[in-house]
Amino acid sequence: MNESVVWLTIFVLSVFVGIEVISKVSSVLHTPLMSGANAIHGVILVGAILVTGHAESTLALAVGLVAVVLATINMVGGFVVTDRMLQMFTARKKPVARGGEDA
Amino acid sequence: MIPVWVQLAYLVAAVCFVLALKGLSSPRTARRGNQIGAVGALVACVVVFFEGELDHLVPILVAIAVGSLVGVLGAQRVQMTQMPQLVALFNGVGGGAAALVALLELDEFVDAGTGAGVEEFALVATAFTVVVGSVSFSGSLVTFAKLQELMTTRPVIFAGLPVAFGGGLVAALVLAVVVVLQPALWVGVVLALLGLVVGTLLVLPVGGADVPIVISLLNAFTGLAVAAGGYVLDNTVLLVGGTLVGAAGTFLTLLMARAMGRSVAHTLFGALKGGSTQGAGMASDRPVKSAGPADVAILLAYAQRVIIVPGYGLAVAQAQHTLRELVDVLGERGIDVDYAIHPVAGRMPGHMNVLLAEAQVPYEQLKEMNDINGEFKHTDVVLVVGANDVVNPGARTIPSAPIYGMPILDVDQAEQVVFMKRSMRPGFAGIENELLFDPRTTLLFGDAKDTMGKLLNAVKAL
């Protein structure tokens, strides 16, 4: 089997899965979903690590390290901020005694 | 050759991403979903070190530590009201990272020499990642500037913008072909710069109220750039993760656009079609009826049914806690009070729910637009706090208005409407609201937090 076709198959199936899994999302969750998806594409960090690890010149190394920093910010920051949003969604389910943190 | 167990670990990560998106689309499982996604990403980022020999391990680990620190601090320190622009920023840096990765890979292709078995399709994917990543980077920075109000939130249009944008696109396409036929690093760099220009020109004409849709679209773009990067690097987790985000993000963009009653094309290019979409943008000096907190307190305290329409202005003033107290006091007087939440209240769909949840407003009191719109007819007083565009009847009646067609809360059907506003300045969309001049409307001017406190005391004193 042609290798490019294998990749194309993975791509096309992933498109359908991506649409299918979020097709029933309620508008309340649009923002956290966008933010969570945003964090997932931070996985470009894997690519950044690979190219930086193979860098042969100082310039390439420097550019690669910038990419690693940016990708990490995207991934780590993305998951943390999404969790912060969703924490509030779960917190309000049970009537919480009001703490003093927002006084 | 990548070890089989590493490839299997990538598969695990990819499955985590699917489960994450699935979890994120339902309120009960959303938080767990996000955590599963984080686990998947962590797995992928650990096993990559076992994929093969990697140099520069120490600088890479330091860079990861720096990025994590910045990301965590940014995510934890940000005010919830400013969250949309933070998401835009995170998306932008992700796109930038993808573009840089592709440029470095292009550099390796060039070093390997032409005809060294680098297939053309990999070069196509490289060029795609460079351009789309750059577009996402600069576009996201412009949306950030708009949301942070570092620049005007109204559409920025200048003569020749459509020509420049079209020209930029064509030039990018030509250069991409050059990269494929004659791979050279400098062409890739020019391509990236062109991407930055195109991304900027793409977002400049978008009006403030439409910015969330654009963030979502750019998010999908970054996803596709990452997917193409995965093909270039022979990495399945990048391909699957990026494609999932690209597909889900595109679909989400359409859903958001539908919630706001407009098409994505209109969002992006609507402002280019003519000046009429720009709106008034200035405070009007037509007569309005205004009142003090004491008058409004009486209005509220002797009503039977009250609906609160919270907007972004409420959150900016940090008045949501005082508002909740006011609602509690009204509730104790036996008044039936609910919050009407427009799908795009705040700055993004669902943003207002997050902001009110932070103020411990009970879930049951938050009513979505479609559930509550029928009830305004039977409502004595509607209190609009820091909202404007989402209750503007112009969305139904003025075809030239930028918000025309957006579903709105039918506040104008209520007996009395009280607007709590800082000034007569128009809303985020930059258009005037006829409802402000309606005889049934009362305006309560002042800072939302300050005025809300006075209103609360006045109601308590009755």
mmCIF file of all heavy atoms in Angstrom, chain B residues 263-279:
data_model
loop_
_atom_site.group_PDB
_atom_site.id
_atom_site.type_symbol
_atom_site.label_atom_id
_atom_site.label_comp_id
_atom_site.label_asym_id
_atom_site.label_seq_id
_atom_site.Cartn_x
_atom_site.Cartn_y
_atom_site.Cartn_z
ATOM 1 N N SER B 263 -23.042 34.352 8.608
ATOM 2 C CA SER B 263 -22.175 33.373 7.970
ATOM 3 C C SER B 263 -20.719 33.736 8.243
ATOM 4 O O SER B 263 -20.400 34.881 8.546
ATOM 5 C CB SER B 263 -22.426 33.351 6.463
ATOM 6 O OG SER B 263 -21.860 34.498 5.881
ATOM 7 N N VAL B 264 -19.855 32.739 8.130
ATOM 8 C CA VAL B 264 -18.436 32.989 8.366
ATOM 9 C C VAL B 264 -17.893 33.962 7.316
ATOM 10 O O VAL B 264 -17.114 34.861 7.628
ATOM 11 C CB VAL B 264 -17.648 31.667 8.361
ATOM 12 C CG1 VAL B 264 -16.157 31.929 8.523
ATOM 13 C CG2 VAL B 264 -18.133 30.760 9.477
ATOM 14 N N ALA B 265 -18.343 33.787 6.075
ATOM 15 C CA ALA B 265 -17.864 34.674 5.005
ATOM 16 C C ALA B 265 -18.258 36.120 5.309
ATOM 17 O O ALA B 265 -17.464 37.048 5.140
ATOM 18 C CB ALA B 265 -18.444 34.241 3.662
ATOM 19 N N HIS B 266 -19.498 36.301 5.806
ATOM 20 C CA HIS B 266 -19.942 37.650 6.124
ATOM 21 C C HIS B 266 -19.120 38.234 7.270
ATOM 22 O O HIS B 266 -18.793 39.406 7.295
ATOM 23 C CB HIS B 266 -21.420 37.636 6.491
ATOM 24 C CG HIS B 266 -21.966 39.002 6.778
ATOM 25 N ND1 HIS B 266 -21.951 39.537 8.042
ATOM 26 C CD2 HIS B 266 -22.487 39.945 5.971
ATOM 27 C CE1 HIS B 266 -22.464 40.758 7.999
ATOM 28 N NE2 HIS B 266 -22.791 41.024 6.742
ATOM 29 N N THR B 267 -18.770 37.383 8.216
ATOM 30 C CA THR B 267 -17.962 37.819 9.344
ATOM 31 C C THR B 267 -16.628 38.371 8.877
ATOM 32 O O THR B 267 -16.167 39.414 9.320
ATOM 33 C CB THR B 267 -17.696 36.623 10.276
ATOM 34 O OG1 THR B 267 -18.945 36.116 10.706
ATOM 35 C CG2 THR B 267 -16.863 37.020 11.454
ATOM 36 N N LEU B 268 -16.003 37.632 7.948
ATOM 37 C CA LEU B 268 -14.663 38.010 7.513
ATOM 38 C C LEU B 268 -14.684 39.176 6.548
ATOM 39 O O LEU B 268 -13.874 40.082 6.632
ATOM 40 C CB LEU B 268 -13.975 36.816 6.845
ATOM 41 C CG LEU B 268 -13.590 35.670 7.781
ATOM 42 C CD1 LEU B 268 -13.038 34.517 6.991
ATOM 43 C CD2 LEU B 268 -12.576 36.143 8.808
ATOM 44 N N PHE B 269 -15.636 39.130 5.604
ATOM 45 C CA PHE B 269 -15.547 40.084 4.502
ATOM 46 C C PHE B 269 -16.703 41.078 4.475
ATOM 47 O O PHE B 269 -16.737 41.941 3.618
ATOM 48 C CB PHE B 269 -15.467 39.333 3.174
ATOM 49 C CG PHE B 269 -14.325 38.335 3.151
ATOM 50 C CD1 PHE B 269 -14.570 36.978 3.037
ATOM 51 C CD2 PHE B 269 -13.017 38.768 3.285
ATOM 52 C CE1 PHE B 269 -13.520 36.064 3.036
ATOM 53 C CE2 PHE B 269 -11.959 37.864 3.285
ATOM 54 C CZ PHE B 269 -12.219 36.516 3.174
ATOM 55 N N GLY B 270 -17.652 40.951 5.421
ATOM 56 C CA GLY B 270 -18.827 41.814 5.419
ATOM 57 C C GLY B 270 -18.473 43.286 5.397
ATOM 58 O O GLY B 270 -19.064 44.062 4.660
ATOM 59 N N ALA B 271 -17.456 43.666 6.170
ATOM 60 C CA ALA B 271 -17.104 45.075 6.290
ATOM 61 C C ALA B 271 -16.538 45.634 4.994
ATOM 62 O O ALA B 271 -16.543 46.839 4.770
ATOM 63 C CB ALA B 271 -16.092 45.276 7.415
ATOM 64 N N LEU B 272 -16.044 44.722 4.125
ATOM 65 C CA LEU B 272 -15.436 45.207 2.893
ATOM 66 C C LEU B 272 -16.482 45.627 1.866
ATOM 67 O O LEU B 272 -16.184 46.332 0.918
ATOM 68 C CB LEU B 272 -14.552 44.113 2.275
ATOM 69 C CG LEU B 272 -13.379 43.664 3.133
ATOM 70 C CD1 LEU B 272 -12.610 42.559 2.433
ATOM 71 C CD2 LEU B 272 -12.463 44.836 3.420
ATOM 72 N N LYS B 273 -17.730 45.174 2.089
ATOM 73 C CA LYS B 273 -18.746 45.398 1.063
ATOM 74 C C LYS B 273 -19.250 46.832 1.032
ATOM 75 O O LYS B 273 -19.953 47.227 0.133
ATOM 76 C CB LYS B 273 -19.923 44.445 1.272
ATOM 77 C CG LYS B 273 -19.572 43.033 0.860
ATOM 78 C CD LYS B 273 -20.828 42.190 0.772
ATOM 79 C CE LYS B 273 -20.521 40.711 0.808
ATOM 80 N NZ LYS B 273 -21.394 40.021 1.742
ATOM 81 N N GLY B 274 -18.957 47.607 2.046
ATOM 82 C CA GLY B 274 -19.418 48.983 1.996
ATOM 83 C C GLY B 274 -19.361 49.610 3.368
ATOM 84 O O GLY B 274 -19.245 48.918 4.382
ATOM 85 N N GLY B 275 -19.448 50.927 3.384
ATOM 86 C CA GLY B 275 -19.297 51.650 4.648
ATOM 87 C C GLY B 275 -20.474 51.504 5.586
ATOM 88 O O GLY B 275 -20.370 51.810 6.753
ATOM 89 N N SER B 276 -21.609 51.019 5.063
ATOM 90 C CA SER B 276 -22.820 51.029 5.874
ATOM 91 C C SER B 276 -22.688 50.161 7.121
ATOM 92 O O SER B 276 -23.406 50.353 8.086
ATOM 93 C CB SER B 276 -24.003 50.550 5.044
ATOM 94 O OG SER B 276 -23.773 49.218 4.636
ATOM 95 N N THR B 277 -21.785 49.198 7.099
ATOM 96 C CA THR B 277 -21.689 48.300 8.249
ATOM 97 C C THR B 277 -20.904 48.927 9.394
ATOM 98 O O THR B 277 -20.741 48.317 10.428
ATOM 99 C CB THR B 277 -20.985 46.996 7.862
ATOM 100 O OG1 THR B 277 -19.756 47.344 7.261
ATOM 101 C CG2 THR B 277 -21.809 46.181 6.917
ATOM 102 N N GLN B 278 -20.403 50.104 9.179
ATOM 103 C CA GLN B 278 -19.554 50.681 10.215
ATOM 104 C C GLN B 278 -20.317 51.215 11.411
ATOM 105 O O GLN B 278 -19.773 51.300 12.499
ATOM 106 C CB GLN B 278 -18.705 51.806 9.634
ATOM 107 C CG GLN B 278 -17.679 51.273 8.671
ATOM 108 C CD GLN B 278 -16.454 52.123 8.701
ATOM 109 O OE1 GLN B 278 -15.911 52.369 9.766
ATOM 110 N NE2 GLN B 278 -15.995 52.565 7.561
ATOM 111 N N GLY B 279 -21.573 51.588 11.175
ATOM 112 C CA GLY B 279 -22.385 52.054 12.285
ATOM 113 C C GLY B 279 -22.055 53.469 12.718
ATOM 114 O O GLY B 279 -21.163 54.118 12.169
#
